[in-house]
Amino acid sequence: MRWALVKVCLAVTAMVVIAFAVPLGLVIKEMARDRAFSDAERQAATIGPTLTITTDREELTRAVLSTEPGGRGRLAVHVPAAGTGGPRLEIGTRRATQDDLETVRTSGRASIADVPGGSVLLQPTALGSRGTAVVEVFVAEEDVSHGVGTAWLVLAGVGVALIVGSVAVADRLGVRMVGPARQLAGAAQNLGEGRLGTRVPEEGPTELRSAAVAFNSMADQVVQLLANERELAADLSHRLRTPLTVLRLNAASLGEGPAAEQTRAAVQQLEHEVDTIIRTAREQRPQTQGGQTGAGCDASEVIRERMGFWSALAEDEGRTVRLAGVDRTVRIPVARAELAAALDALLGNVFRHTPEGTAFAVDVHHSGDAVLVLVSDAGPGIPDPASALARGASGRGGARGGVGSTGLGLDIVRRIAESTGGDLRIGRSVLGGTEVRIWIGLDGGPAERPRRGHRVGRRGGARGPWAGRTRTPGPRGARGAGAERRTDG
């Protein structure tokens, strides 16, 4: 905008300068010419009285030499012969042709004729019975153009000054308009990145001031809406404490046993999650990014822990479990709680949407710039994967009782993956059911993915449905420790 305004002012000012300077320069040139010939007419008129009194050569010569052009050899007098065949009298240097002189005598009107080096003014003067004398005044070219060059230079200087001044004024106006516009754009970007305290100075042109006022009002409303949302989330979470207290008391009366221990651990974990939600909702600075700078965890350790919890429930339902690729440390830029929530969401979907006895597996693959986590099952699969990835929708109904899901679990997993530069994909697993692929980028950029249809990490006999499977340790006595995490996906 700034340079566009400068260009417009430059073009407009240049056209105005040309429109006025060129005609003015021509007028000055014509005025200089008129001034030169007016001076010549005045000098020629000074000889007129002498011619009316006498035509004596000596008298006329003294009169001619007494004038400024006569002293410079630029004035001549042409007197016709006194009688038939008499001599003509010429004083001074003649430059005009005889035809021009005769034309002026015949017409009786002054005339200007072009001669080498300039022009001559021919002024007729009546001598009574002797006819008409002609006074010739030579006007050189430098006299005609005297002062014109200086006038043109002055006009050019004034034009350049006007152009420079207009460009400077346009640039200042552009800065005055562009500055607030850039501030508004930067504030919008900061607000989009989660810096909710960003505001725009209400300055600049009227339109930009109005835009700044509207932006600040919008930012205040966004802050207020987020605050209301946090309060609502905290209030709704707080309402869960009463039924959780009843549930905890009822779980305490179940006595001893693996099932009772698992139930009490699940209730304890649910209370912990509700408390976490309340504390997070009460924070003054809401989190706007999926993961915070410096956050990270060991994916292998978290996956082993969560599989230790879910394997106990899998044993009760007769499900075969396989875990692979977690024998070494794999650091990822995802917080431990978020990765655990993502795994619980996916594994919870397996238990909710596949019949009892359906096998499932979790495989971890590390490829330099990314980590791939595969959650597979041998269930009926998802008929519409694209719909399943839409927030608030489910791609399949529940296998038990036909109850569907909200689809929020997959949305949580997708947002965690995308916060690292990865993504979430749903496909068909080698077990015959659903395979959820979580790509987690290690450097924040897009991870390099294998070609479509290429199965990462399937070697040798592992291509069979359950060839080489391993059983995650999950004895009944270990359920209490393994059940510390939540059971809902």
Side-chain angles (χ1 to χ4, degrees), residues 435-447:
E435 179 182 77
V436 180
R437 309 176 187 178
I438 310 173
W439 287 93
I440 300 176
L442 299 182
D443 56 359

Side-chain angles (χ1 to χ4, degrees), residues 121-184:
L121 172 67
L122 302 177
Q123 180 70 41
T125 301
L127 300 179
S129 61
R130 295 188 59 183
T132 302
V134 177
V135 180
E136 175 186 334
V137 181
F138 174 70
V139 180
E141 291 182 355
E142 56 268 19
D143 295 334
V144 175
S145 60
H146 179 69
V148 175
T150 302
W152 274 97
L153 289 177
V154 172
L155 289 176
V158 172
V160 171
L162 288 175
I163 292 175
V164 173
S166 67
V167 169
V169 172
D171 183 69
R172 291 300 91 196
L173 291 176
V175 170
R176 185 169 178 265
M177 290 192 299
V178 171
R182 288 178 177 174
Q183 290 179 349
L184 183 61

Side-chain angles (χ1 to χ4, degrees), residues 7-33:
K7 291 178 182 178
V8 170
C9 287
L10 178 62
V12 172
T13 307
M15 288 189 293
V16 171
V17 168
I18 292 174
F20 283 93
V22 172
L24 185 58
L26 296 177
V27 170
I28 291 174
K29 182 179 180 181
E30 189 64 25
M31 290 177 61
R33 176 182 176 85

Side-chain angles (χ1 to χ4, degrees), residues 60-123:
L60 291 177
T61 301
R62 284 195 297 268
V64 169
L65 293 178
S66 65
T67 62
E68 188 272 336
R72 299 170 58 187
R74 294 187 176 186
L75 190 147
V77 177
H78 307 283
V79 180
T84 303
R88 291 178 299 179
L89 180 63
E90 290 189 359
I91 301 173
T93 304
R94 186 178 65 129
R95 292 179 174 84
T97 62
Q98 189 63 35
D99 293 337
D100 293 333
L101 295 175
E102 293 299 331
T103 301
V104 171
R105 287 194 183 99
T106 303
S107 63
R109 292 180 298 179
S111 175
I112 297 174
D114 294 331
V115 297
S119 302
V120 289
L121 172 67
L122 302 177
Q123 180 70 41

Side-chain angles (χ1 to χ4, degrees), residues 237 240-241 244 248 264-280 305 336-337 340 483-486:
S237 301
L240 297 176
R241 285 187 170 180
L244 279 176
R248 180 167 53 81
R264 284 190 287 270
V267 173
Q268 182 181 0
Q269 177 64 21
L270 185 57
E271 287 183 327
H272 173 72
E273 294 297 337
V274 170
D275 291 340
T276 301
I277 292 175
I278 293 176
R279 286 194 303 270
T280 302
E305 176 188 347
R336 179 187 182 90
E484 291 179 355
R485 297 288 177 180
R486 54 183 170 275

Side-chain angles (χ1 to χ4, degrees), residues 27-51:
V27 170
I28 291 174
K29 182 179 180 181
E30 189 64 25
M31 290 177 61
R33 176 182 176 85
D34 292 341
R35 183 182 66 248
F37 283 102
S38 295
D39 292 340
E41 288 179 358
R42 186 174 63 255
Q43 296 295 336
T46 60
I47 305 298
T50 303
L51 287 173

Side-chain angles (χ1 to χ4, degrees), residues 95-412:
R95 292 179 174 84
T97 62
Q98 189 63 35
D99 293 337
D100 293 333
L101 295 175
E102 293 299 331
T103 301
V104 171
R105 287 194 183 99
T106 303
S107 63
R109 292 180 298 179
S111 175
I112 297 174
D114 294 331
V115 297
S119 302
V120 289
L121 172 67
L122 302 177
Q123 180 70 41
T125 301
L127 300 179
S129 61
R130 295 188 59 183
T132 302
V134 177
V135 180
E136 175 186 334
V137 181
F138 174 70
V139 180
E141 291 182 355
E142 56 268 19
D143 295 334
V144 175
S145 60
H146 179 69
V148 175
T150 302
W152 274 97
L153 289 177
V154 172
L155 289 176
V158 172
V160 171
L162 288 175
I163 292 175
V164 173
S166 67
V167 169
V169 172
D171 183 69
R172 291 300 91 196
L173 291 176
V175 170
R176 185 169 178 265
M177 290 192 299
V178 171
R182 288 178 177 174
Q183 290 179 349
L184 183 61
Q189 183 176 2
N190 292 336
L191 185 65
E193 292 175 353
R195 292 188 279 273
L196 302 182
T198 301
R199 295 297 183 272
V200 181
E202 298 175 3
E203 58 187 15
T206 304
E207 294 78 6
L208 291 177
R209 286 200 303 269
S210 300
V213 171
F215 176 87
N216 293 336
S217 176
M218 178 194 67
D220 293 337
Q221 292 179 6
V222 169
V223 172
Q224 184 62 39
L225 289 175
L226 290 177
N228 295 339
E229 183 180 355
R230 292 196 300 272
E231 291 296 329
L232 179 61
D235 292 342
L236 294 177
S237 301
H238 189 75
R239 294 180 186 181
L240 297 176
R241 285 187 170 180
T242 299
L244 279 176
T245 301
V246 177
L247 185 60
R248 180 167 53 81
L249 294 175
N250 292 337
S253 63
L254 293 178
E256 301 297 330
E261 293 177 3
Q262 184 178 3
T263 302
R264 284 190 287 270
V267 173
Q268 182 181 0
Q269 177 64 21
L270 185 57
E271 287 183 327
H272 173 72
E273 294 297 337
V274 170
D275 291 340
T276 301
I277 292 175
I278 293 176
R279 286 194 303 270
T280 302
R282 294 291 185 184
E283 290 180 356
Q284 295 300 319
R285 292 180 298 175
Q287 296 181 359
T288 58
Q289 300 293 336
Q292 299 299 325
T293 303
C297 67
D298 179 7
S300 299
E301 190 273 333
V302 176
I303 293 174
R304 285 196 302 267
E305 176 188 347
R306 301 316 302 150
M307 287 298 290
F309 167 76
W310 289 101
S311 62
L313 183 59
E315 184 177 351
D316 291 342
E317 295 187 359
R319 297 175 183 267
T320 304
V321 182
R322 186 186 71 185
L323 178 62
V326 293
D327 53 345
R328 65 189 182 97
T329 300
V330 179
R331 298 292 303 181
I332 60 174
V334 177
R336 179 187 182 90
E338 293 180 353
L339 179 60
L343 289 172
D344 287 344
L346 296 178
L347 296 177
N349 286 339
V350 173
F351 280 85
R352 280 193 297 271
H353 302 301
T354 61
E356 293 187 7
T358 301
F360 66 93
V362 177
D363 298 320
V364 180
H365 304 279
H366 185 263
S367 62
D369 64 342
V371 172
L372 173 62
V373 179
L374 303 176
V375 179
S376 310
D377 64 61
I382 299 178
D384 189 0
S387 176
L389 289 175
R391 180 175 176 84
S394 175
R396 55 182 176 185
R400 292 169 288 185
V403 180
S405 66
T406 63
L408 297 180
L410 288 177
D411 185 73
I412 293 174

